[in-house]
């Protein structure tokens, strides 16, 4: 990564993301040229991350009191699908087969609207109404309506979480999945874990089925059911990416996917001792991170 801004995350809260990358033919025809062009403009993944962070900081500090993205431009992340024989995309390219590109648009207009609605409906609603005037919310709703009118049925490709990663996300991945560890100046900037969406869905459904029988009152069951419904919206040849963000430097190497899987297996087998041990490992790793949200 280049740029001190991305390296330090400008003192912002730890933010992690779950993204779905789809092949170009999964998008409406009128969107495809813009996706291809945006993907070609992105010189590197680091450039995309820096541009998104700079844009968010710019919205916070700009005059006029409108913190929402305008939608005039939208960043796009691009990756390659694994080769059909299990090799890498580079192997396929070397053999004369062009790699299949997958796209994840940032969709900042839609995501900002969803985040604002969640904030208004939460316990900090009264404060949010002061920070985000009704006039600005109404103006942003007009932008959302324009996006939906232009693109039709819209799938939001990105989910975000601050101050820790939801345990349900880890159920989508295994230790053997492809990982990218991004480092600079002796620090881990982020870790990205990838899984084909078919594998992620199979793992999520397995977790839902076992938790529904063994622990139907567990909050994670509802999270997993919603996650499964979300993943089912996307193309069968998509890829799912878990991007740890800056929190990776605090927790990596991370065995959370294994602990989640073992915990669910223990619950399914009635092994409460094993399930408790898996939860203790998760808690010892992630509760200190979540407590940072309350630190002064």
């Amino acid at each position: 990564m280049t740029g001190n801004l991305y390296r330090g995350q400008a003192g912002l809260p730890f933010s992690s993301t779950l993204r779905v990358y789809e092949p170009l033919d999964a998008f409406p025809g009128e969107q495809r040229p813009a996706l291809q062009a945006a993907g070609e403009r992105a010189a590197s993944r680091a450039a995309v991350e820096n541009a998104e962070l700079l844009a968010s900081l710019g919205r916070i500090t700009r005059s006029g009191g409108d913190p929402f993205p305008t939608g005039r431009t939208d960043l796009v992340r691009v990756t390659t699908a694994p080769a059909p024989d299990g090799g890498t995309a580079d192997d396929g390219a070397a053999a004369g087969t062009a790699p299949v590109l997958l796209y994840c648009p940032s969709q900042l207009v839609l995501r900002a609207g969803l985040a604002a609605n969640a904030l208004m409906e939460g316990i900090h609603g009264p404060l949010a109404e002061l920070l985000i005037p009704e006039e600005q919310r109404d103006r942003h709703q007009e932008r959302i309506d324009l996006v939906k009118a232009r693109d039709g049925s819209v799938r939001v490709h990105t989910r975000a979480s601050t101050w820790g990663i939801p345990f349900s996300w880890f159920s989508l991945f295994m230790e053997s999945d492809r990982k990218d560890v991004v480092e600079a100046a002796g620090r881990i900037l982020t870790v990205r874990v990838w899984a084909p969406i078919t594998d992620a869905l199979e793992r999520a459904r397995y977790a839902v089925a076992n938790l529904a029988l063994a622990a139907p009152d567990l909050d994670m069951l509802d999270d997993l059911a919603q996650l499964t419904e979300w993943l089912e919206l996307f193309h069968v040849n998509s890829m799912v990416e878990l991007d740890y963000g800056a929190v990776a430097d605090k927790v990596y190497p991370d065995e959370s996917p294994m602990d989640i899987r073992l915990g669910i297996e223990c619950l399914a087998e009635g092994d409460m001792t094993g399930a408790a041990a898996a939860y203790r490992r998760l808690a010892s790793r992630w509760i200190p991170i979540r407590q940072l949200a309350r630190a002064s």
Side-chain angles (χ1 to χ4, degrees):
M1 289 292 171
T2 59
N4 291 330
L5 182 64
Y6 183 80
R7 290 181 184 180
Q9 292 239 345
L12 296 173
F14 291 138
S15 179
S16 306
T17 50
L18 189 66
R19 301 186 180 98
V20 177
Y21 291 71
E22 291 193 285
L24 195 61
D25 59 9
F27 296 90
E30 58 272 18
Q31 278 186 258
R32 296 174 191 173
L35 285 170
Q36 286 179 300
E40 291 167 359
R41 286 196 302 270
S44 67
R45 180 66 182 265
V48 174
E49 305 297 348
N50 257 336
E52 188 164 273
L53 184 54
L54 279 168
S56 67
L57 293 174
R59 289 193 298 273
I60 293 171
T61 57
R62 72 187 176 197
S63 60
D66 185 355
F68 292 104
T70 62
R72 284 192 292 268
T73 59
D74 195 26
L75 296 167
V76 177
R77 291 170 176 83
V78 182
T79 190
T80 53
D85 61 356
T88 66
D90 291 339
D91 294 336
T97 302
V100 176
L101 296 181
L102 305 177
Y103 299 84
C104 179
S106 290
Q107 300 172 295
L108 292 176
V109 168
L110 292 175
R111 289 168 51 209
L114 291 171
N117 290 339
L119 191 60
M120 295 298 171
E121 295 168 1
I123 60 173
H124 300 298
L127 177 61
E129 290 180 4
L130 294 175
L131 295 175
I132 311 175
E134 184 177 359
E135 177 186 354
Q136 305 299 347
R137 299 198 302 271
D138 291 343
R139 183 181 302 174
H140 190 67
Q141 185 59 50
E142 293 176 2
R143 297 180 189 130
I144 293 173
D145 293 341
L146 285 173
V147 169
K148 290 183 175 179
R150 182 190 67 206
D151 298 339
S153 177
V154 179
R155 303 179 302 280
V156 178
H157 288 68
T158 302
R159 294 190 167 203
S161 175
T162 54
W163 299 116
I165 297 174
F167 290 167
S168 58
W169 292 8
F170 292 121
S171 68
L172 307 180
F173 302 94
M174 294 187 69
E175 309 86 272
S176 57
D177 289 334
R178 167 188 153 196
K179 295 181 182 67
D180 296 331
V181 180
V182 184
E183 300 178 85
R187 290 181 53 203
I188 298 177
L189 302 182
T190 189
V191 173
R192 302 187 186 107
V193 189
W194 302 80
I197 198 167
T198 49
D199 291 349
L201 269 169
E202 181 180 352
R203 295 162 185 170
R205 289 167 179 157
Y206 169 86
V208 167
N210 282 282
L211 288 180
L213 292 173
D217 297 327
L218 201 64
D219 289 341
M220 186 176 152
L221 177 57
D222 290 335
D223 294 343
L224 273 167
Q226 294 175 19
L227 201 55
T228 303
E229 292 174 357
W230 176 62
L231 292 175
E232 288 171 342
L233 298 174
F234 297 97
H235 193 283
V236 68
N237 292 330
S238 300
M239 292 284 290
V240 185
E241 174 198 73
L242 172 57
D243 188 341
Y244 277 65
V247 75
D249 195 53
K250 301 293 186 184
V251 300
Y252 197 78
D254 179 33
E255 296 181 339
S256 297
M258 181 179 67
D259 288 333
I260 287 291
R261 189 180 72 255
L262 291 176
I264 291 172
E265 289 175 354
C266 287
L267 284 173
E269 295 167 1
D271 179 5
M272 296 299 110
T273 301
Y279 177 77
R280 282 196 299 271
R281 290 192 296 270
L282 284 164
S284 66
R285 191 177 302 126
W286 289 103
I287 286 180
I289 300 296
R290 291 172 180 171
Q291 288 174 336
L292 292 175
R294 299 177 178 84
S296 60

